[in-house]
Amino acid sequence: MGKIKVLSDHLCNQIAAGEVVERPAAVVKELVENSVDAGARRIRVFLEKGGRALVRVVDDGEGMSPEDALLALERHATSKIATAEDLQAIRSLGFRGEALPSIAAVSRLEMITREKEAVSGTRIVVEGGTIRTVEEVGCPAGTSITVRDLFYNVPARRKFLRTVETETAHISDMFLRLALAQPDLYWQLAHHDRTVHDFPKAASLHDRVYHVFGAAVAKSLIPVDFQTEHAAVRGLIGPPELQRANSRSLFLFVNKRPVKDTLLTHAVLTAYDTLLPKGTYPFVVLFVDVPPRLVDVNVHPTKREVRFRDPPLVLDGVRRAMAQGLESAMKASWTRPFYASLESPRPAAAAAAAAESRAGLQGMQPWTVSGPAARPEPVPMPWPNRLPEGSPAGDAPREERPHEPTGPPAFSSLRILGQLACAYILVEAPDGLILIDQHAAHERISYERLMAGFGSAGSQRLAPPVVLDLPPLEADALSRWLPEVQFLGFDIEPFGGGSFVIHAMPSVLKHTDPAALIRRLAETTPAEERTPRVGLMEKLAHTAACHASVRAGQRLNLEEMRQLLKDLDATRLSATCPHGRPLWWKITLDQIQRFFQRT
Ligand code: ADP
Ligand code: MG
């Protein structure tokens, strides 16, 4: 007897389910893609318990005959391709004929479907891959597929499912990506009896983006439209100001398929290269359309990766499209010095976004204009008791001077020479010239004060309370740390659907926009991370310090400069800003003399 056996279809389906059905969001994706392929005009998704108890997708597409309905549940049964040539030129979202049998193998599935011309429809019930019922029923034209108790027969997989909120967040994220790809369809998502998304049929991508992300974001976007011989690239891309702290703000599609493609992502990000601070991501909705024969979508079981037959051909088009769009946008804002435009949130846009989110317009507006990245880095410099070593270049021998006590350098005792480029304060040291980065310095001061103030300064009510709308995964992250955030002096009430009401905030943070602060926090911390209070405090202080600080590009008068130096003297650590950038740099007289060849 040989050892090798051909596995049963049932087992094959369970194995395939392992790849195709990662979590409830994958079920939603597969079912919705089938609805799109079936020519639906309206797609409704209902969930119970984050999709764990129930996912139902109802469409008004072409439906199936009784025979097809049964066949659809067979492995490798598809109406979308028939020959090997078809596989080279796929125009539908599905083609593997795997989704329905895989889902049916690991759930209790009910399919109700009717073709438009047919007088009656078909209802099929499958349990763990075994067909239990096939019957004729009266039903509307189109297809409704209900998936109950996902993984009920695969306990190992069930254990990997996260909380209801997290699973709902993943579904919601997936859903809005699919909805962006098809603006001309009507999309609805409901969790129990609560509407999560309701996107009416839109006339254009811009209108859909308006519904999904709100007016402030939609207004700021730059249209991109570029055609090469091999690719059409179009979409809406954000100005550098519309930055986010994670890559979920990249909405990339290849032939209307949401993809996570490294090459494509890279091409998009390089366009923003120097325009964005490290660790931040642009907001981009980009559609790349290429002839189906130039792209292989059969690379990944869930089809989220693609392989271009000739990547440079396509990616070059993407880069050029992006460059063209950004260039035109940058020209329009040319009047501002660039570093200033990076660093200062534009008050008008931010205020508009805030006002709008307060008005609770059209669901969520997850993206508003935000400040620079708050990514703390290890402090590379040793504590500079020795003022002469402040300069990375200078290595003058150490000398004790009366105004340099062992302890923080007394910046305030030095003569202020002036301000350079609205960004640096120049002071005269006994042995050289010191340049102080005004923004970094102020940030350090604010940070220290905030950290010292937590817990002692108490909490302050906001009147009126501030409404904050977050995209699904960020909302989920915030809900997890509510106890921690509460402990620090916030009073935040979850409102459902990614909305939160901020009633109070720690008094030390009173000069910061609470919504921007909390948003930033949610964006920079992965949902699953259990954040200790101290970590959270540091994050809040970083963000708040950054928002509250004087910017590069701001002219300071002598009094303001003097105050800044005094405050700097009072901080514990004045070598670097909270992000690890140096605060000041000294050019020693020695260096100056060497340059002028006076030694
Ligand atoms: P694939 O989408 O790769 O073809 P599926 O297992 O997802 O494989 O679906 C199998 C077949 O069932 C599809 O090819 C299609 O003919 C049919 N089908 C699935 N869902 C629907 C639907 N909502 N409306 C009409 N036909 C559907
Ligand atoms: Mg399919």
Side-chain angles (χ1 to χ4, degrees):
M1 249 301 259
K3 285 183 278 187
I4 301 178
K5 292 187 194 65
V6 175
L7 300 179
S8 71
D9 267 2
H10 182 65
L11 200 49
C12 289
N13 286 335
Q14 284 213 335
I15 293 170
E19 296 178 324
V20 180
V21 192
E22 240 176 314
R23 60 189 335 155
V27 173
V28 172
K29 173 178 182 286
E30 293 295 338
L31 297 183
V32 161
E33 286 188 347
N34 282 343
S35 298
V36 173
D37 283 343
R41 309 310 305 158
R42 180 173 174 190
I43 298 173
R44 286 177 293 162
V45 181
F46 303 90
L47 309 173
E48 280 172 23
K49 296 215 172 115
R52 304 170 56 150
L54 178 142
V55 170
R56 175 177 292 140
V57 174
V58 181
D59 70 47
D60 58 356
E62 64 189 14
M64 284 171 268
S65 67
E67 302 76 40
D68 278 352
L70 271 169
L71 263 180
L73 294 161
E74 296 279 330
R75 192 167 164 69
H76 300 314
T78 178
S79 58
K80 297 168 195 177
I81 57 171
T83 65
E85 285 84 72
D86 293 345
L87 190 57
Q88 306 305 311
I90 288 163
R91 291 178 190 283
S92 51
L93 294 172
F95 59 89
R96 297 170 64 100
E98 270 189 325
L100 287 184
S102 303
I103 297 167
V106 294
S107 69
R108 300 181 222 271
L109 183 145
E110 180 189 46
M111 177 199 282
I112 299 174
T113 185
R114 176 167 77 82
E115 292 179 297
K116 285 198 177 64
E117 320 71 49
V119 282
S120 63
T122 310
R123 174 172 175 267
I124 301 178
V125 178
V126 192
E127 254 185 55
T130 310
I131 295 185
R132 298 279 183 216
T133 312
V134 182
E135 62 185 6
E136 195 180 333
V137 289
C139 63
T143 304
S144 154
I145 295 184
T146 306
V147 175
R148 290 192 174 87
D149 307 326
L150 187 64
F151 299 137
Y152 80 97
N153 54 350
V154 200
R157 290 304 291 272
R158 209 169 49 228
K159 264 191 263 162
F160 280 104
L161 292 178
R162 303 289 170 173
T163 59
V164 166
E165 293 74 27
T166 303
E167 295 301 342
T168 309
H170 279 281
I171 291 173
S172 170
D173 183 73
M174 171 63 71
F175 183 90
L176 60 85
R177 282 170 200 273
L178 293 163
L180 279 174
Q182 316 279 347
D184 55 339
L185 308 191
Y186 185 172
W187 295 80
Q188 284 173 304
L189 173 67
H191 189 238
H192 294 269
D193 42 17
R194 183 172 65 79
T195 299
V196 181
H197 295 305
D198 190 350
F199 304 139
K201 177 176 155 50
S204 63
L205 174 64
H206 186 273
D207 288 1
R208 173 55 49 87
V209 165
Y210 180 99
H211 284 127
V212 176
F213 303 110
V217 167
K219 226 188 305 166
S220 73
L221 296 179
I222 308 156
V224 160
D225 197 345
F226 196 83
Q227 177 81 44
T228 70
E229 198 186 328
H230 301 282
V233 184
R234 62 186 182 85
L236 296 165
I237 66 175
E241 290 89 349
L242 196 66
Q243 54 194 252
R244 292 203 59 196
N246 62 46
S247 62
R248 284 197 292 271
S249 56
L250 300 176
F251 297 87
L252 308 180
F253 302 85
V254 172
N255 292 356
K256 289 201 168 187
R257 206 183 276 284
V259 293
K260 289 209 158 82
D261 182 82
T262 345
L263 289 177
L264 188 57
T265 304
H266 188 254
V268 167
L269 292 182
T270 22
Y272 283 89
D273 196 18
T274 56
L275 303 181
L276 283 180
K278 233 168 126 192
T280 64
Y281 295 82
F283 177 93
V284 170
V285 182
L286 200 72
F287 290 87
V288 180
D289 290 311
V290 294
R293 66 188 158 77
L294 290 183
V295 58
D296 188 356
V297 289
N298 189 19
V299 184
H300 192 275
T302 67
K303 300 162 286 181
R304 68 167 169 239
E305 283 167 26
V306 292
R307 193 172 293 146
F308 296 113
R309 301 242 197 263
D310 189 351
L313 270 188
V314 177
L315 299 175
D316 184 52
V318 170
R319 270 188 289 264
R320 281 157 65 189
M322 299 288 302
Q324 202 178 60
L326 282 171
E327 205 172 293
S328 65
M330 295 319 286
K331 267 193 202 127
S333 64
W334 207 233
T335 42
R336 283 174 300 154
F338 183 62
Y339 50 84
S341 81
L342 259 190
E343 297 249 318
S344 41
R346 286 189 294 178
E356 203 157 83
S357 87
R358 254 168 239 138
L361 269 185
Q362 320 263 12
M364 30 178 274
Q365 289 96 36
W367 283 277
T368 58
V369 180
S370 64
R375 186 150 293 291
E377 274 157 22
V379 176
M381 271 195 189
W383 166 237
N385 274 345
R386 310 174 297 164
L387 242 180
E389 264 79 37
S391 139
D395 204 6
R398 184 184 170 183
E399 287 162 68
E400 284 300 334
R401 285 161 203 284
H403 64 274
E404 283 169 28
T406 44
F411 286 113
S412 54
S413 66
L414 304 179
R415 188 162 73 94
I416 296 174
L417 302 174
Q419 195 189 19
L420 174 68
C422 291
Y424 304 98
I425 301 172
L426 306 183
V427 296
E428 180 185 5
D431 61 340
L433 169 71
I434 297 180
L435 290 89
I436 297 165
D437 180 325
Q438 68 188 41
H439 176 61
H442 195 208
E443 215 173 294
R444 166 56 68 187
I445 296 163
S446 317
Y447 177 77
E448 298 278 333
R449 281 191 185 156
L450 293 170
M451 285 300 276
F454 272 119
S456 57
S459 160
Q460 147 176 326
R461 308 293 308 164
L462 298 169
V466 175
V467 177
L468 169 67
D469 291 301
L470 291 176
L473 291 162
E474 279 76 2
D476 178 44
L478 178 57
S479 331
R480 276 157 201 282
W481 323 303
L482 276 184
E484 262 75 22
V485 175
Q486 225 85 319
F487 175 83
L488 293 179
F490 279 98
D491 178 1
I492 300 179
E493 181 191 1
F495 232 68
S499 292
F500 295 84
V501 180
I502 310 176
H503 293 288
M505 70 193 295
S507 306
V508 282
L509 300 174
K510 62 172 177 268
H511 295 301
T512 1
D513 170 0
L517 197 62
I518 295 292
R519 178 190 307 282
R520 187 93 201 158
L521 191 72
E523 284 176 356
T524 49
T525 316
E528 315 285 326
E529 192 172 291
R530 263 312 293 152
T531 311
R533 268 164 207 169
V534 176
L536 210 55
M537 245 154 73
E538 280 171 356
K539 270 195 177 180
L540 282 168
H542 273 304
T543 313
C546 202
H547 277 267
S549 298
V550 294
R551 304 295 172 177
Q554 237 163 286
R555 170 141 333 264
L556 303 178
N557 63 31
L558 195 61
E559 209 29 63
E560 289 166 324
M561 289 193 268
R562 206 167 271 147
Q563 189 57 48
L564 193 73
L565 297 191
K566 247 190 233 157
D567 292 343
L568 193 55
D569 284 342
T571 62
R572 209 159 36 90
L573 272 170
S574 40
T576 62
C577 80
H579 302 141
R581 288 190 295 268
L583 294 189
W584 50 272
W585 178 37
K586 177 152 67 173
I587 305 170
T588 62
L589 273 175
D590 257 11
Q591 290 170 303
I592 295 173
Q593 276 165 347
R594 242 178 285 140
F595 178 83
F596 288 108
Q597 302 175 4
R598 284 189 172 276
T599 45

